[in-house]
């Protein structure tokens, strides 16, 4: 899980950096490392209940919402309403988190498939 999340996060951040948003890519790199380690630790514990699994996926997403809300507030100089900044945070965080995790899922599937093929 850790490797798949780090690889997919790196690919996603390379796209961000290629678009010229180096500061966001660096900030995102720190987030990807912390969130990937968190998810790997959560899933490394073994069997999770459905509530634990939901919390394991929601926690990094909520952290992304907070991070993007802070970015929106910083860009606007604090002049926008909190609801607008939070809406921005939810939309952008969801738009980044979901593709990142879908790419990580594809990477995990590919890694599992290649491991089975080597046997």
């Amino acid at each position: 899980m850790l490797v798949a999340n780090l690889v997919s996060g790196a690919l996603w951040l390379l796209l961000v950096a290629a678009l010229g948003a180096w500061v966001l890519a660096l900030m995102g790199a720190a987030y990807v490392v912390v969130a990937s380690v968190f998810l790997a630790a959560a899933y490394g514990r073994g069997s999770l209940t459905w509530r634990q699994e939901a919390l394991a996926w929601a926690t990094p997403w909520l952290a992304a919402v907070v991070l993007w809300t802070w970015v929106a507030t910083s860009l606007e100089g604090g002049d926008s309403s909190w609801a607008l900044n939070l809406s921005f945070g939810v939309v952008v965080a969801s738009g980044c988190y979901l593709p990142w995790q879908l790419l990580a899922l594809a990477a995990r599937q590919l890694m599992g498939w290649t491991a089975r093929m080597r046997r």
Side-chain angles (χ1 to χ4, degrees):
M1 172 158 269
L2 179 62
V3 173
N5 275 324
L6 290 174
V7 168
S8 65
L11 292 173
W12 189 247
L13 292 169
L14 282 174
L15 174 65
V16 171
L19 294 173
W22 286 98
V23 173
L24 292 177
L26 289 174
M27 205 167 72
Y31 167 80
V32 164
V33 168
V34 171
S36 296
V37 169
F38 171 81
L39 287 169
Y43 277 87
R45 292 178 30 154
S47 177
L48 298 175
T49 67
W50 69 269
R51 288 182 188 198
Q52 290 171 325
E53 190 165 356
L55 185 60
W57 286 105
T59 301
W61 175 78
L62 286 172
V65 169
V66 168
L67 185 64
W68 280 108
T69 302
W70 175 76
V71 167
T73 303
S74 299
L75 292 175
E76 294 295 323
D79 293 337
S80 298
S81 72
W82 66 270
L84 183 62
N85 289 336
L86 181 61
S87 298
F88 176 84
V90 168
V91 169
V92 175
S94 299
C96 293
Y97 186 73
L98 292 175
W100 171 45
Q101 288 304 305
L102 288 173
L103 188 58
L105 175 62
R108 284 192 297 278
Q109 296 296 320
L110 180 64
M111 289 176 2
W113 180 75
T114 57
R116 285 189 301 275
M117 294 303 289
R118 283 188 222 146
R119 290 183 202 161

